[in-house]
Amino acid sequence: MDKSDTRQRIIEAARRIFLQKGMAGTRMQEIADAAGINKAMLHYYFRSKEQLFKLVFAEAVKEIFPKVEKALAGDLPIREKLLAFVRAYISQIREHPFVPLFVIHELSNRPTEFFMEPEKSGAPQKMLQKLMQEIIHAQQRGEIPDYPPQHLWVNILALSIFPFIARPLIQQLLQMDDKAFERFLEERTAQVARFLDQALRIA
Amino acid sequence: MDKSDTRQRIIEAARRIFLQKGMAGTRMQEIADAAGINKAMLHYYFRSKEQLFKLVFAEAVKEIFPKVEKALAGDLPIREKLLAFVRAYISQIREHPFVPLFVIHELSNRPTEFFMEPEKSGAPQKMLQKLMQEIIHAQQRGEIPDYPPQHLWVNILALSIFPFIARPLIQQLLQMDDKAFERFLEERTAQVARFLDQALRIA
DNA sequence: ATTTGGTTTAACCATTTGGTTAATTACGGT
DNA sequence: ACCGTAATTAACCAAATGGTTAAACCAAAT
């Protein structure tokens, strides 16, 4: 076996299980089994459960955060920019459907402990600050309604992320089987875009 | 001490800790400490951790689900009804801010195991089916845009619930301290209502 | 005062769990 | 072939954890 092969398999197994069961719900033995290796290897490559978890968590955050930036970078008119973001972001999350709930859940216990310090991955925050300004300017020019930018932003995030976080709840409430929910997700991008577009019309 | 006093204190302590740390992250000892009693009392009143958890979980579900019904029961015009729901629901969640994330997280591991079978608490599902019909009819009369009802409903839920689920993420991204977030929540009802109202305007 | 019933506690138990160790194996360079 | 280093494993360990037990406590009924 390649040198890094084992290491990589551990990471992948750990990722799968941590994402599904969270830090507290995950057993090192289970990761080892899933990776098809001895439990001691986990500690050989990563000192502790905590360290392995931090690595997985950090990668998960990367998958769901920095991508925010790209869609917000260009200088499209605000309305198009927001719609472009929705499309890019939903597509991004669809590739990592379990990440948002995982990150949020872990984040909710460990207040800010090992979370992105504004310096380290401060890009999103600054990018958002800039976006808030753009929104305000667009509103001053009367291009979109004057929702408080923070609320508008949370609305957009909510519409995009919520179905992935609340999947079991939604399926239960709306009586969708897995197939139906997949269809629902396929329509989702277009429907969120339409809903948002309508909400952004000037009165 | 009253007879049921201890029992009640256990439930309250268990609720607090389960809600915060989830089933897997909670230690029986911690519940006992929080309730100021001996660990054995937990097993005296509730057979096992699982049983205590189920009780807490069931109560949590009740706090966040059946209330849905009331706001949807009357026969207001669809637009007013949806807005009324948003107000009622956000207010309801504000009183139990940790419940949604807790329920969703626990639900995501235990697919449907001990979740509401359609018969037991089937009221929400039927109520929703009825609402879907009302929406369709209103759309046929041209009162609101023809968003697929399921998407419209998920949108409403998302706008209402998401800030409570994603609080740490939002605070981090938008650089809000606790005070700022409280203010944000106070504005939230009105802002969601306005956003939704705008999205429901006929083109 | 004694009994009786539920309540409470300290001590205990078996299993699980994260982590370690010492020995074994695989292998590239000489 | 041999050496040295990294990779891998089985066995082990101490602490934590859910759960049990037997004895003590306490209040009301007799």
Side-chain angles (χ1 to χ4, degrees), chain A residues 156-180:
Chain A
I156 290 172
L157 233 47
L159 294 170
S160 304
I161 296 183
F162 184 76
F164 298 91
I165 290 180
R167 170 167 183 164
L169 222 140
I170 293 173
Q171 284 197 225
Q172 188 68 221
L173 277 180
L174 295 185
Q175 317 256 47
M176 298 191 214
D177 57 23
D178 291 348
K179 197 106 184 172

Side-chain angles (χ1 to χ4, degrees), chain B residues 32-130:
Chain B
D33 292 347
I37 49 128
N38 188 291
K39 183 164 68 88
M41 301 277 10
L42 300 182
H43 295 90
Y44 178 74
Y45 282 100
F46 311 89
R47 201 187 312 281
S48 65
K49 184 185 182 185
E50 182 72 17
Q51 191 164 313
L52 181 53
F53 172 78
K54 277 184 182 171
L55 190 143
V56 168
F57 183 83
E59 284 194 4
V61 168
K62 275 184 215 151
E63 274 159 11
I64 206 182
F65 260 116
K67 312 293 176 107
V68 180
E69 310 175 24
K70 285 178 194 165
L72 293 179
D75 58 344
L76 292 168
I78 190 68
R79 179 189 291 260
E80 276 77 15
K81 183 176 280 193
L82 294 178
L83 291 175
F85 170 78
V86 164
R87 296 199 184 89
Y89 204 48
I90 292 182
S91 143
Q92 171 73 15
I93 299 178
R94 264 188 101 177
E95 286 167 36
H96 308 285
F98 300 120
V99 172
L101 181 54
F102 168 69
V103 170
I104 286 174
H105 174 253
E106 297 300 338
L107 219 50
S108 81
N109 305 344
R110 334 208 159 191
T112 54
E113 186 186 336
F114 59 135
F115 190 36
M116 27 168 64
E117 299 81 20
E119 335 93 43
K120 193 192 157 201
S121 66
Q125 280 91 341
K126 288 207 175 120
M127 192 119 281
L128 273 193
Q129 278 308 111
K130 228 185 74 189

Side-chain angles (χ1 to χ4, degrees), chain A residues 26-29 39-40 43 47-49:
Chain A
T26 294
R27 298 294 98 98
M28 291 297 262
Q29 186 60 57
K39 183 164 69 88
H43 295 90
R47 200 186 315 278
S48 65
K49 184 185 183 185

Side-chain angles (χ1 to χ4, degrees), chain A residues 56-67:
Chain A
V56 168
F57 182 83
E59 285 195 4
V61 167
K62 275 184 215 151
E63 274 160 11
I64 207 181
F65 261 117
K67 313 292 177 107

